[in-house]
Amino acid sequence: MKKWAFVSDFDGTISNKDFYWVIIEKYYPEGRDLFKKWKAGQIKDIEFLRSIFTSINQHEEQIIEDIINIPIDEYVPDFIKHVQKNGGDFYILSAGTDYYIHHILKEYNIQNVTVYSNEGYYEDQNVHLNIDPSHRHHSERYGIDKSKVIQELKQEYETVHFAGDSEPDSHPAVYADATFAKDALQEILSEKNIAFTPVTTFKDIQADLEKKGFLSYD
């Protein structure tokens, strides 16, 4: 069994802004009403994202430019390298799509990171999702069931750390050995009596992992 892994959500955790907000603000203002319906529980997460991602109507070059301009936590690239140097494997676990995640990883020259997310592709000026209901990680609500991924990784690693920021991350937090929570996830986990470490940036996570002996700089 491998020693340890760090698994992180992407939107709002690694990135400082959800990709769907970039689209809504630049190309699809009607998406604000859709956002309200989603938050009210009237539509599923994957339905919301499908509608947003297919309302961009831009050439791929423009979409990629928008993606690489998404602000990310400045500590992330070095954090990932430190995890890998200290014998850990780094994973990204997102209920968004791997389409924009891979562009971000390439932009920051982040290597050897496995991405678990909904498969996405560019076609006809939009980003489309390729959801396979028969996949072992499938979720009818999110496209990908983060809990299943964490449980699977726990069969491979002695310790699995997880970081997230919102409601979909509350489910895998149940199974992770340690959860680092940002923003709304803190209140959600508190209400569910699920243990977590509150953080603001990956610098906070790094400090905690140093104290626990997972990271060192010798």
Side-chain angles (χ1 to χ4, degrees):
M1 184 174 277
K2 301 175 189 176
K3 189 177 179 183
W4 68 289
F6 195 98
V7 185
S8 178
D9 166 56
F10 185 81
D11 290 271
T13 303
I14 288 177
S15 74
N16 292 328
K17 189 171 190 174
D18 291 75
F19 181 52
Y20 65 76
W21 274 120
V22 173
I23 298 169
I24 291 172
E25 291 173 0
K26 288 197 72 173
Y27 307 116
Y28 188 51
E30 299 91 339
R32 293 181 184 277
D33 290 331
L34 204 62
F35 174 82
K36 292 176 183 176
K37 290 181 179 179
W38 168 44
K39 287 301 182 181
Q42 297 173 16
I43 58 174
K44 295 174 184 175
D45 298 59
I46 201 65
E47 294 170 350
F48 168 72
L49 293 181
R50 267 197 169 120
S51 296
I52 299 297
F53 294 165
T54 54
S55 300
I56 306 174
N57 299 314
Q58 298 291 323
H59 293 297
E60 187 168 29
E61 292 78 11
Q62 179 60 51
I63 295 175
I64 293 173
E65 182 180 335
D66 291 331
I67 290 169
I68 63 177
N69 283 324
I70 295 173
I72 71 166
D73 183 324
E74 63 179 315
Y75 300 104
V76 166
D78 282 341
F79 177 83
I80 293 174
K81 291 176 183 176
H82 288 317
V83 167
Q84 294 169 338
K85 285 180 181 177
N86 283 268
D89 291 327
F90 195 94
Y91 295 85
I92 292 175
L93 177 56
S94 171
T97 170
D98 61 2
Y99 175 79
Y100 55 83
I101 295 172
H102 285 304
H103 282 299
I104 291 284
L105 294 178
K106 181 179 178 181
E107 176 68 14
Y108 288 89
N109 193 30
I110 296 172
Q111 300 177 358
N112 301 314
V113 168
T114 299
V115 178
Y116 287 107
S117 186
N118 296 307
E119 182 182 347
Y121 61 95
Y122 173 84
E123 187 175 87
D124 297 330
Q125 296 194 313
N126 286 296
V127 175
H128 301 266
L129 298 177
N130 182 25
I131 306 297
D132 179 6
S134 67
H135 195 282
R136 69 184 188 281
H137 298 151
H138 177 69
S139 163
E140 187 177 335
R141 178 177 175 182
Y142 303 107
I144 183 171
D145 188 326
K146 293 186 174 186
S147 297
K148 290 179 180 177
V149 175
I150 292 294
Q151 290 178 79
E152 199 172 87
L153 289 174
K154 279 179 64 67
Q155 301 301 311
E156 297 181 44
Y157 295 91
E158 293 177 13
T159 305
V160 176
H161 300 281
F162 177 68
D165 75 307
S166 59
E167 192 280 331
D169 302 315
S170 65
H171 307 290
V174 174
Y175 301 98
D177 292 297
T179 296
F180 298 93
K182 290 178 62 177
D183 303 330
L185 184 61
Q186 297 179 5
E187 183 176 349
I188 295 169
L189 295 183
S190 293
E191 292 174 352
K192 292 186 175 184
N193 293 315
I194 298 171
F196 69 93
T197 300
V199 296
T200 303
T201 69
F202 272 79
K203 186 177 183 180
D204 301 330
I205 299 175
Q206 182 171 302
D208 187 85
L209 292 182
E210 286 174 6
K211 289 179 183 177
K212 293 175 178 174
F214 286 93
L215 294 181
S216 66
Y217 297 90
D218 297 334

